[in-house]
Amino acid sequence: MPDIDIGERARKLYQEALVWDDHSGFDPACQPDLTNLQRWAKSGVNYLSVNVGYDVIDWRTTLANLAAFRAWLQQHPEDYTLIKTVDDIAQAKRAGKLAVAFDLEGMNALDGDVNMVNVYYALGVRQMLFAYNLNNLAGGGCHDRDVGLTDFGRAVIREMNRVGMLVDCSHTAHRTTMEAMEYSEAPVIFSHSCAKAVWQHGRNITDDQIKACAKTGGVIGINGIGNFLGENDITSKTFVDHIAHVAELAGAEHVGIALDYAFDAENVDGLVENNSKYWPKEEYHGPSDYLPPEQLPEIVETMVRRGFSDAEIKGILGGNFLRVAKAVWK
Ligand SMILES: [Zn+2]
């Protein structure tokens, strides 16, 4: 088949698909001007999970971020929908708006109180991961001593299952993730994690973690950070290498996309460089490139060339995360 057909097929697929980016990577403590979200909207993304807090910052700052981000989105109703349900996403796509919900990176945001899960859910948080690189009250972080899931972590999972918030194992230590996936009654995700078998990095996940996630019915969102994908490598080829590895191991219906894109990359690089506690020097050296949302159409074309079927590609672009959200959100 000539190349022109591949390009056309990819363009059509991208237009028809629900495009879901499961995690943004900009500094949540930034001033609340979210104009840059237009980059996702203009790139054809339909749903974006916006990070509002992580273990590095105080939980009060997380609440302040939520207040500011919610207010900003509500002041721009012509371009954005702060969604509550899965149906709101399809409605936003039809109306040509970017659907947005929030995520938390680490359970320090709960300040030790399980009841905070419900509060965050009411404010639009639809997924929360355990620990951000270092250990916390709930379990182990991926760059810390691997302590496993704690009683508090188990109580949080029960509450997340009850409320309908997605249990997210990215940034978390191996043993904690395996125990959390065993314990959760609802599908569990790795919102933004690459495969260790493709590139060795402490933030990437092993094959047994990938298989266990698929067994829960969950999805692994491939991360677009150059240092996690390879040697600061944000080529579409390498991104699709990670997709293909997870698809081969666990099935294409368990792969998604979470670019972790930071439009304020210099801020993020500075943050990482100046805090070797959360970002140990042996894992984080030198600035990273970020795969931008504008590159998504090229990734689709790369998947077409790699032999993925139309149905598989639509699932990877968003259908798979949508399936999990349908099963878990309330
Ligand atoms: Zn992250």
Side-chain angles (χ1 to χ4, degrees):
M1 207 187 279
D3 275 4
I4 184 86
D5 291 339
I6 287 180
E8 272 171 17
R9 187 178 140 205
R11 264 191 300 281
K12 190 161 165 280
L13 260 173
Y14 191 65
Q15 232 161 35
E16 288 171 3
L18 176 79
V19 183
W20 181 299
D21 181 350
D22 205 53
H23 182 66
S24 69
F26 47 89
D27 180 2
C30 280
Q31 79 282 11
D33 176 6
L34 301 179
T35 310
N36 276 312
L37 291 180
Q38 271 307 301
R39 294 212 24 207
W40 278 265
K42 288 202 174 101
S43 304
V45 174
N46 304 121
Y47 169 87
L48 176 66
S49 181
V50 171
N51 175 226
V52 287
Y54 63 150
D55 275 359
V56 183
I57 61 178
D58 186 87
W59 67 273
R60 294 171 192 83
T61 311
T62 297
L63 273 184
N65 289 341
L66 263 169
F69 284 22
R70 284 175 59 86
W72 192 93
L73 289 166
Q74 281 159 359
Q75 283 155 17
H76 297 81
E78 65 289 348
D79 293 323
Y80 307 100
T81 306
L82 181 53
I83 60 107
K84 288 194 174 120
T85 65
V86 167
D87 291 340
D88 293 342
I89 297 173
Q91 214 175 344
K93 180 173 163 70
R94 277 195 299 274
K97 299 179 192 183
L98 178 66
V100 174
F102 303 121
D103 65 71
L104 288 171
E105 297 195 275
M107 294 182 180
N108 281 353
L110 303 176
D111 191 34
D113 185 353
V114 167
N115 292 330
M116 288 295 281
V117 172
N118 210 1
V119 172
Y120 282 119
Y121 194 85
L123 293 174
V125 174
R126 289 293 174 270
Q127 63 195 47
M128 173 169 60
L129 58 83
F130 275 86
Y132 188 91
N133 297 357
L134 298 187
N135 297 351
N136 64 17
L137 213 51
C142 65
H143 299 322
D144 207 337
R145 200 165 50 87
D146 197 350
V147 288
L149 191 61
T150 64
D151 286 344
F152 178 69
R154 273 184 283 274
V156 176
I157 292 178
R158 287 196 298 275
E159 181 65 356
M160 290 174 89
N161 286 171
R162 186 185 76 81
V163 165
M165 193 185 287
L166 272 164
V167 176
D168 183 352
C169 281
S170 282
H171 285 276
T172 305
H174 184 272
R175 187 176 143 207
T176 302
T177 68
M178 297 304 273
E179 290 173 358
M181 289 188 280
E182 183 70 40
Y183 192 75
S184 176
E185 284 176 5
V188 172
I189 60 168
F190 283 88
S191 62
H192 57 302
S193 291
C194 292
K196 222 172 222 169
V198 180
W199 182 255
Q200 194 69 33
H201 191 287
R203 258 288 275 119
N204 293 352
I205 59 173
T206 59
D207 285 357
D208 65 332
Q209 285 173 302
I210 292 166
K211 282 188 201 158
C213 173
K215 209 174 137 202
T216 72
V219 170
I220 296 108
I222 302 301
N223 190 311
I225 292 184
N227 288 334
F228 300 158
L229 287 164
E231 204 165 352
N232 196 14
D233 179 356
I234 57 162
T235 58
S236 297
K237 184 212 164 286
T238 300
F239 192 80
V240 174
D241 284 346
H242 286 267
I243 289 177
H245 178 78
V246 176
E248 229 165 80
L249 199 68
E253 66 275 25
H254 298 290
V255 193
I257 286 168
L259 294 181
D260 210 350
Y261 182 71
F263 48 72
D264 53 354
E266 277 168 33
N267 269 352
V268 177
D269 283 334
L271 208 67
V272 168
E273 204 166 316
N274 294 320
N275 192 340
S276 58
K277 208 171 102 192
Y278 275 96
W279 295 280
K281 295 277 181 218
E282 61 270 24
E283 297 276 12
Y284 299 86
H285 25 76
S288 191
D289 289 330
Y290 296 79
L291 196 155
E294 289 83 1
Q295 200 174 317
L296 284 169
E298 188 187 280
I299 286 166
V300 175
E301 200 175 315
T302 308
M303 284 195 280
V304 170
R305 286 183 198 283
R306 199 70 71 94
F308 285 93
S309 74
D310 288 5
E312 285 172 338
I313 292 171
K314 281 186 178 171
I316 291 163
L317 280 173
N320 296 337
F321 268 126
L322 182 71
R323 180 193 72 236
V324 175
K326 269 184 188 158
V328 176
W329 294 358
K330 286 182 178 158

